[in-house]
Amino acid sequence: MKQGKGSLFMYVIHFGEIFGYLDILWAGMLVTFKLSVLTMLIGTILGIFVAIARLSKNRLVCFFSTMYVEVLRNVPVLLVLYIIYYGIPSHIKGLSFNPFWASVIALSVNSSAYESEIIRGGIKGIMKEEIEAAFSLSLRKMQVFYYIIIPHALRLIWDALGNQLVAIILGSSITSIITLGELTYNALEIGSRTARHFEIFVVLLLIYVVLGFILSSLFRLIKKLFLRPMNL
């Protein structure tokens, strides 16, 4: 800071000090990426089961799966994180979670509720005529699911899954509250060390924007190359 006329303080923006901590930002980005990919994979697997349960003709199964989705969609993910990291271990002797795995569990459970709705919408978006035509070819249920439902549903929901992954990456910053050394937490540490909070937040903003753009572009490219329209 520099003192100007009238005893007013002027803040001089300077990014030079930030560049000396790029290794810490890189380490945080790797943790963020690892956390987000694991969350996406686990959340998708859970989401598939929940989506199938919601489509079940069994009213009890449908009811509990619907409650699962509605509760998680109306509860802050921070609260889920607190329950898993602080709440559950305080009531079970000998149980504890490190910040990384507590974050994976909390974000996966939260994400599964949203992904289940994406997957359910994709399955319901498949025309009945396509499924009926597959059965008319004497295909078994598993064959219909593997060759017809999955490819068609995947193409329908691919963009939404890409958006969900970006949302997970952005939402992973909340895990800094339990001292997980991801991108935001490491950026806050750099800000504390250098007192260059504005600069590090600008750099952090740009990193998240670039990550989101790269992932969105990658998902569009994959869809263009491998998820072309399929006809039975």
Side-chain angles (χ1 to χ4, degrees):
M1 288 189 183
K2 291 186 177 181
Q3 189 173 3
K5 294 180 180 181
S7 299
L8 294 176
F9 289 92
M10 297 178 59
Y11 183 85
V12 179
I13 298 174
H14 180 62
F15 287 89
E17 293 181 51
I18 303 300
F19 296 139
Y21 294 90
L22 292 180
D23 57 328
I24 297 178
L25 283 175
W26 176 252
M29 190 157 48
L30 290 179
V31 173
T32 293
F33 184 74
K34 182 179 177 182
L35 171 62
S36 301
V37 170
L38 278 173
T39 295
M40 188 69 185
L41 289 175
I42 297 172
T44 300
I45 293 171
L46 289 174
I48 291 172
F49 285 107
V50 175
I52 293 174
R54 290 207 66 188
L55 293 170
S56 173
K57 294 181 180 180
N58 186 308
R59 291 185 178 181
L60 194 61
V61 172
C62 185
F63 172 78
F64 281 111
S65 59
T66 300
M67 288 299 298
Y68 174 88
V69 171
E70 292 302 319
V71 168
L72 287 173
R73 289 176 66 186
N74 290 282
V75 171
V77 65
L78 180 59
L79 179 58
V80 178
L81 184 61
Y82 278 158
I83 290 173
I84 292 172
Y85 188 65
Y86 294 113
I88 295 177
S90 68
H91 289 83
I92 302 178
K93 188 176 180 180
L95 178 64
S96 64
F97 297 108
N98 63 41
F100 180 80
W101 287 111
S103 300
V104 169
I105 295 170
L107 294 180
S108 297
V109 169
N110 179 264
S111 178
S112 68
Y114 294 91
E115 291 185 51
S116 69
E117 289 299 276
I118 293 172
I119 295 167
R120 186 171 72 98
I123 294 175
K124 291 182 70 175
I126 301 173
M127 292 185 293
K128 291 182 179 180
E129 289 79 5
E130 293 178 296
I131 298 176
E132 291 173 355
F135 281 120
S136 69
L137 296 174
S138 300
L139 294 178
R140 297 179 181 179
K141 287 185 178 180
M142 288 303 298
Q143 290 177 313
V144 172
F145 187 78
Y146 183 78
Y147 292 109
I148 306 300
I149 295 178
I150 290 181
H152 283 247
L154 188 59
R155 186 178 186 281
L156 289 173
I157 68 176
W158 187 253
D159 292 333
L161 289 179
N163 293 336
Q164 182 64 19
L165 179 57
V166 173
I168 289 171
I169 289 177
L170 300 181
S172 67
S173 61
I174 203 170
T175 61
S176 62
I177 202 75
I178 60 170
T179 69
L180 176 64
E182 46 75 61
L183 188 55
T184 297
Y185 180 84
N186 284 10
L188 291 171
E189 285 291 305
I190 295 171
S192 298
R193 295 183 189 183
T194 62
R196 293 287 174 180
H197 298 285
F198 176 79
E199 289 89 339
I200 191 61
F201 289 148
V202 170
V203 172
L204 186 62
L205 181 150
L206 292 174
I207 290 174
Y208 278 120
V209 169
V210 171
L211 283 176
F213 177 78
I214 291 174
L215 285 172
S216 297
S217 299
L218 181 61
F219 265 73
R220 285 195 295 269
L221 179 61
I222 292 174
K223 182 177 181 179
K224 183 178 180 180
L225 294 176
F226 303 107
L227 297 175
R228 297 175 181 177
M230 299 177 64
N231 296 311
L232 186 66

